[in-house]
Amino acid sequence: MAIAAGSTNSDTGDARADGRPGPAGAPGRAGSELPPDIPAPRTGTPGPAPTGRVRQPVALIRLLVGLAAITLTLLLADYARATTSGIAADVAQAARLVPRPLAGIAGGLSTAALLLVPVWSAVRRLVSAVPERRRILQHLSDGLLAAVLAYGASLAVDLGVDELAPASLVAAITQPLPGHLLAHTEPVYGYLAPVLAFMTASAAREHRVPRIVLSVSALAGLAAGYATPTALLLGLLIGWTAAHGTLYAVGTPDPRPRPAQLLQSLREAGLRPLAAHPAGPDRYLVRQEAGRPDLDVQLLDRQAVTAALVQRAWRRLRLRTAPHPRALRSLRTGLEHEALVSYAAVAAGVRTRRIAATAGLGRDSALVAYEYLPGRTLDQLAGEELTDGLLTDAWSQLALLQRREISHRALVPSSILVDRAGAVHLVDLADGDIAASELVLRCDIAQLLTTLALRVGAERSVRTAVAVLGPDVVGAALPLLQPIALARTTRTALKQAARAHCAALAPAGDGARGGEDRRAVEAARVAGVPGPARTGSGAGPADATAVPTATAVPPAPPPPGELLDAIRAEVLRTRPQAPVRAVKVERLRPRTLLAVAGGVVAGWLLLPQLFASEQNPIAAVGDADPLWLALAVLAAAASHFTAAMGFVGFVPERLDFRNAVLAQLAGSFVKLVSPGGVGGVALNTRFLQRAGIPTAQALSSVGVGQLFGLVLHLLQLGAFVYLLDLEPGGSELDALPAVVSGLAGAGVLLAGVSAVPPARRWLAARLRPLTSEVLPRLLELLRSPGRLAVGVTGQLLVSLCLVACLYCCVRAVGREPAFASVAVVFLIGNAVGNAAPTPGGAGAVDSALVTLLEHTASMEEGGALAGVALYRLLTLVLPVLPGWAAFAWLQRRGAL
């Protein structure tokens, strides 16, 4: 494939968003010279050839997929053994129709052919490609190593299944050998794994003959009765996985083309290259004949494309504004898309790089040749060079893209280049789209607002945007002004700006602190974020090619949240009626995936216990004692009233107690869609905000309640552990020494963290909200001892109500444990539930309660499961419907 684009005058740029390194220069005029820091290559000097080995991400991905497929095959073979055994029996019955002598001959011949395939492939490749013999020998050595590893893995699986696997799995993947009643076939069939591993790892181009031989060998094994379908599948999976594991472990010979191949491809595309000089990973600067502009050539290979596959696919799944996962497309399709967007931008009048040619370099590589034009990116410009005229020019270029509905998607500093004349060029259009949606176009505006504000502040960024686009267009982008909608480099720059801002405000401390502060400021400077403004004449000299200007150096930007808020405030100043409610750009949150995965794991672990225990817990729940069951229901209902007491007691302002009780009941509904105690904290904070309490005070009140809850939880745990040790036989549990040891370990860990300066500063940053917000709120509460007593009493009673509920549930199913042991079980299990990422602590709480009841309360598995199932039914499942009704009622009344 070779596509030439004839253009003599172009404005180009640099920077790639797909992982390819961009050229050091920015746009200029055709016929420009190479950068002074890179010597001009002499004619006929192709530059050093790629050497060594590289680990390709695609090999790691395929290795993980293969391991998962092998595991899934073994699990399905065991759990669906009836189906697996039925398929094997049907195949064996069909194989009996083949005459035994014929099946034996076919099996011997197919095995011999299978072993000859690697030899035939190696000889054929060495004879047909003499110039590439060294590289072919490297591939063949990789294939030989993969074959050895695959054969060893097959033997290991055979031995493991015979010695360690349960009899059900052995029966599912094997069958009796013909004529031998006591022997069975191998779990992994024959030589399929090593042969497939050799052919895959050696990068063999011929696939038809090996596939035919592998298929014939597999059919012969089935016909002779020496293999089952599962054994064949395992052999193929082990061979494929071993091949890619080998390729990732030792690497593959560098697949990048040699400079001579690059020059030849450019000549075939109609260009006149003289020499190529390496200028970075996968990048060459190419000099052409006199009168033709030099070229900046970017190499694309399947390794770079696949490296972004997982990240891009996840971003596409998660965000509505993410680009399409082009890693799933071929190199040709990616080149065509990039060229199409570039040509569309040029047709729209945008200053951007012009493509001189695109060409394919075999099956796994391609190139894009741009006309090389010097310049600097936005993050390379000094602060005094960022004039209002330059900012206006950047917005004018974006306006041209917006007018033609072309999205850029990556307006980061490296995508904004300024040539020697001071003209702005928008480059890096690889992720752009034609006929983009309104949401994506507004994302570009929000991205450029933030990118420029990081350098010049919110006021100048918004003012120049409004001057070019108008207040309505800029105001429409406010709902997209949220970190998740911005590029990753921008989010990183926001964090670095925050660290630099804190370093500038912090007083001079010890040497280590000062060194870290300087490193934070330097990291911000490298990321394109200016450091704090200096007074006096200590500023560094400007670049030699800087455009003279009288604009002052901009001040350091505020922290991330304040910067985005400042941008919103500036936009609302010009357009007060602009929408400010954030648009939901996330389709799927990582927390949601984690919750779903946790629920699946919980069901996987708990359901077998429900039906595999000696005593059916479902039947035990059905036969529960009515009196104890009624007491359990009353205790569960009372917990909502005591939770409301523990909530309002830590709020100095007056609250409606009825609404507070309904809010705690609504928490039973909210925690089904949020992990642990996160949902309750958010719900209580929102309730206080709607009650007219400022956000800072609302968060502080909830934080005070959480702090008291933690302290009281530990005190209750210690008290019940002490009571448990006083009971007959309680000393055998050694619960008190275990708790004391845990607290001592936590103290030692805290002391160790405090002794390390970076860890101490990290801990201080996490505890700063406690000292700056929670403690002042606590001091305010101390002026109302009656209200504080209500809060403490409520916190104590809510734990006791839930302990009583669990105790009554256990008694309802006919067990009689000590109350102290049930209390210890609940307090530990509740702590596990608050730390678990699953909704309502599903899975983690249930497993912890069952396990602790078995060991601490000396209950059998069936009784423990029955008691926990009844308890979770009363406290997690049944309150959902009333919680939803309370949630809806509070929302209609404006209380949530």
Side-chain angles (χ1 to χ4, degrees):
M1 175 183 65
I3 305 173
S7 61
T8 55
N9 298 321
S10 66
D11 300 314
T12 69
D14 158 41
R16 309 279 322 172
D18 56 1
R20 285 179 284 159
R29 294 184 178 83
S32 60
E33 298 178 354
L34 294 174
D37 58 331
I38 298 180
R42 292 175 295 177
T43 301
T45 305
T51 58
R53 288 175 172 263
V54 294
R55 287 189 174 92
Q56 299 191 8
V58 64
L60 177 60
I61 294 174
R62 291 173 177 172
L63 169 64
L64 297 177
V65 170
L67 292 175
I70 294 172
T71 304
L72 184 61
T73 300
L74 292 174
L75 289 176
L76 290 178
D78 189 19
Y79 279 91
R81 47 185 173 269
T83 303
T84 306
S85 301
I87 294 175
D90 293 340
V91 172
Q93 184 176 1
R96 294 191 188 99
L97 301 177
V98 181
R100 181 61 52 189
L102 181 60
I105 295 174
L109 293 178
S110 62
T111 301
L114 187 65
L115 295 176
L116 289 175
V117 163
V119 179
W120 166 81
S121 177
V123 173
R124 182 174 179 271
R125 294 172 65 185
L126 289 173
V127 172
S128 61
V130 176
E132 296 287 334
R133 180 168 294 178
R134 182 176 180 181
R135 176 175 290 193
I136 291 176
L137 287 175
Q138 290 178 333
H139 285 304
L140 293 178
S141 63
D142 294 342
L144 183 60
L145 177 60
V148 173
L149 294 178
Y151 188 69
S154 300
L155 294 179
V157 172
D158 289 341
L159 182 62
V161 170
D162 288 337
E163 300 294 336
L164 304 176
S168 59
L169 179 60
V170 176
I173 63 178
T174 63
Q175 64 184 10
L177 281 173
H180 298 79
L181 296 179
L182 299 179
H184 60 75
T185 59
E186 295 178 350
V188 180
Y189 177 63
Y191 302 103
L192 291 183
V195 172
L196 180 60
F198 177 87
M199 300 302 297
T200 303
S202 63
R205 301 286 183 175
E206 177 61 42
H207 300 292
R208 182 178 303 176
V209 173
R211 288 174 180 173
I212 293 175
V213 175
L214 286 171
S215 301
V216 171
S217 178
L219 292 176
L222 291 175
Y226 292 110
T228 63
T230 307
L232 296 177
L233 180 60
L234 284 175
L236 296 176
L237 288 175
I238 290 175
W240 190 78
T241 304
H244 292 292
T246 302
L247 293 178
Y248 185 74
V250 304
T252 57
D254 197 338
R256 291 176 299 173
R258 271 50 177 175
Q261 296 175 267
L262 184 146
L263 296 177
Q264 181 61 32
S265 296
L266 292 176
R267 293 189 185 99
E268 294 175 355
L271 302 177
R272 296 292 182 270
L274 295 177
H277 190 91
D282 296 330
R283 176 184 169 227
Y284 285 87
L285 295 180
V286 178
R287 182 177 298 281
Q288 293 201 92
E289 295 178 355
R292 289 177 173 266
D294 297 325
L295 302 175
D296 191 337
V297 179
Q298 302 285 342
L299 297 181
L300 292 81
D301 60 80
R302 201 166 298 277
Q303 173 189 357
V305 172
T306 309
L309 171 61
V310 176
Q311 176 185 346
R312 285 173 175 254
W314 164 242
R315 188 169 177 82
R316 180 64 181 173
L317 178 65
R318 182 184 180 190
L319 300 181
R320 297 165 55 197
T321 57
H324 294 282
R326 309 196 188 288
L328 297 176
R329 303 179 180 180
S330 64
L331 292 177
R332 178 187 292 271
T333 304
L335 286 178
E336 291 173 351
H337 175 85
E338 184 171 349
L340 181 62
V341 177
S342 178
Y343 293 148
V346 172
V350 180
R351 288 193 292 269
T352 186
R353 294 189 299 178
R354 293 180 182 269
I355 295 179
T358 62
L361 296 171
R363 188 179 62 176
D364 298 327
S365 301
L367 66 83
V368 183
Y370 295 95
E371 294 180 359
Y372 175 81
L373 298 167
R376 289 176 295 162
T377 56
L378 183 68
D379 51 350
Q380 295 173 334
L381 297 177
E384 60 270 14
E385 297 180 84
L386 301 176
T387 63
D388 286 351
L390 187 145
L391 302 180
T392 302
D393 193 13
W395 285 111
S396 299
Q397 298 303 305
L398 179 61
L400 294 174
L401 286 178
Q402 298 265 319
R403 190 175 305 162
R404 296 292 183 90
E405 297 183 349
I406 303 173
S407 66
H408 189 286
R409 294 185 181 271
L411 286 169
V412 294
S414 57
S415 299
I416 304 171
L417 294 116
V418 182
D419 62 15
R420 291 176 176 176
V424 174
H425 308 255
L426 300 182
V427 297
D428 188 14
L429 294 166
D431 287 329
D433 275 324
I434 299 174
S437 65
E438 182 67 23
L439 187 67
V440 176
L441 294 177
R442 285 188 289 165
C443 257
D444 278 352
I445 298 176
Q447 175 66 53
L448 189 56
L449 278 171
T450 310
T451 298
L452 297 180
L454 281 166
R455 293 301 315 268
V456 301
E459 189 274 332
R460 291 182 62 196
S461 176
V462 173
R463 174 163 49 82
T464 52
V466 170
V468 177
L469 301 178
D472 293 337
V473 176
V474 177
L478 276 188
L480 276 303
L481 198 64
Q482 45 186 309
I484 191 63
L486 303 176
R488 172 177 294 184
T489 53
T490 303
R491 297 196 299 270
T492 303
L494 285 170
K495 295 177 183 178
Q496 291 173 340
R499 289 198 294 268
H501 187 81
C502 295
L505 297 179
D510 56 273
R513 175 65 179 271
E516 290 201 359
D517 291 346
R518 288 191 297 271
R519 287 193 292 271
V521 175
E522 178 63 19
R525 185 193 68 76
V526 173
V529 180
R534 298 183 181 179
T535 57
S537 58
D543 187 86
T545 60
V547 180
T549 177
T551 305
V553 178
E562 296 182 12
L563 178 61
L564 297 182
D565 290 340
I567 296 175
R568 292 189 189 95
E570 291 295 333
V571 174
L572 291 175
R573 188 174 293 121
T574 60
R575 184 68 175 173
Q577 63 272 32
V580 294
R581 186 174 182 180
V583 172
K584 185 178 179 181
V585 297
E586 282 186 295
R587 290 194 186 98
L588 187 66
R589 295 186 177 184
R591 183 179 298 170
T592 304
L593 276 182
L594 191 60
V596 172
V600 171
V601 173
W604 184 279
L605 295 177
L606 292 177
L607 288 179
Q609 296 181 22
L610 291 176
F611 300 102
S613 58
E614 296 180 359
Q615 182 177 356
N616 190 345
I618 297 179
V621 170
D623 298 334
D625 186 296
L627 178 60
W628 286 108
L629 183 59
L631 293 176
V633 172
L634 289 177
S639 66
H640 298 293
F641 292 91
T642 56
M645 291 175 55
F647 171 56
V648 301
F650 295 104
V651 181
E653 294 79 7
R654 186 176 181 84
L655 297 175
D656 188 334
F657 186 76
R658 182 189 61 176
N659 287 348
V661 173
L662 291 176
Q664 304 312 303
L665 182 59
S668 303
F669 167 71
V670 173
K671 67 183 180 181
L672 280 184
V673 292
S674 61
V678 175
V681 172
L683 182 72
N684 290 336
T685 304
R686 179 63 176 171
F687 178 78
L688 294 179
Q689 289 175 328
R690 299 297 292 176
I693 300 176
T695 302
Q697 284 81 355
L699 290 171
S700 300
S701 295
V702 175
V704 170
Q706 294 289 314
L707 178 61
F708 267 85
L710 175 63
V711 174
L712 294 175
H713 188 95
L714 294 176
L715 291 176
Q716 286 177 293
L717 179 61
F720 282 113
V721 166
Y722 178 74
L723 293 176
L724 181 61
D725 283 344
L726 292 181
E727 294 183 357
S731 59
E732 297 177 359
L733 298 173
D734 294 332
L736 185 59
V739 173
V740 174
S741 301
L743 294 177
V748 172
L749 179 62
L750 181 61
V753 169
S754 301
V756 181
R760 183 174 65 247
R761 285 191 289 273
W762 176 86
L763 182 62
R766 297 301 183 274
L767 295 179
R768 190 173 294 118
L770 176 66
T771 58
S772 62
E773 299 175 3
V774 176
L775 293 183
R777 191 69 163 174
L778 179 58
L779 294 177
E780 184 180 354
L781 280 171
L782 292 177
R783 301 175 184 175
S784 304
R787 183 173 291 273
L788 186 61
V790 171
V792 173
T793 303
Q795 291 279 10
L796 287 172
L797 288 179
V798 68
S799 296
L800 291 177
C801 285
L802 293 174
V803 170
C805 180
L806 178 59
Y807 178 77
C808 293
C809 290
V810 175
R811 292 298 301 268
V813 296
R815 306 305 186 273
E816 298 182 2
F819 186 84
S821 63
V822 174
V824 171
V825 167
F826 167 78
L827 292 172
I828 297 177
N830 188 55
V832 172
N834 287 330
T838 56
V845 171
D846 308 274
S847 301
L849 292 179
V850 170
T851 303
L852 290 171
L853 283 175
E854 293 176 8
H855 293 82
T856 305
S858 301
M859 293 177 59
E860 77 283 0
E861 183 182 9
L865 277 171
V868 171
L870 183 57
Y871 168 75
R872 295 291 277 174
L873 178 67
L874 296 179
T875 58
L876 179 67
V877 179
L878 292 184
V880 170
L881 187 58
W884 171 81
F887 186 84
W889 190 86
L890 290 174
Q891 278 193 322
R892 285 197 301 269
R893 295 301 182 92
L896 280 181

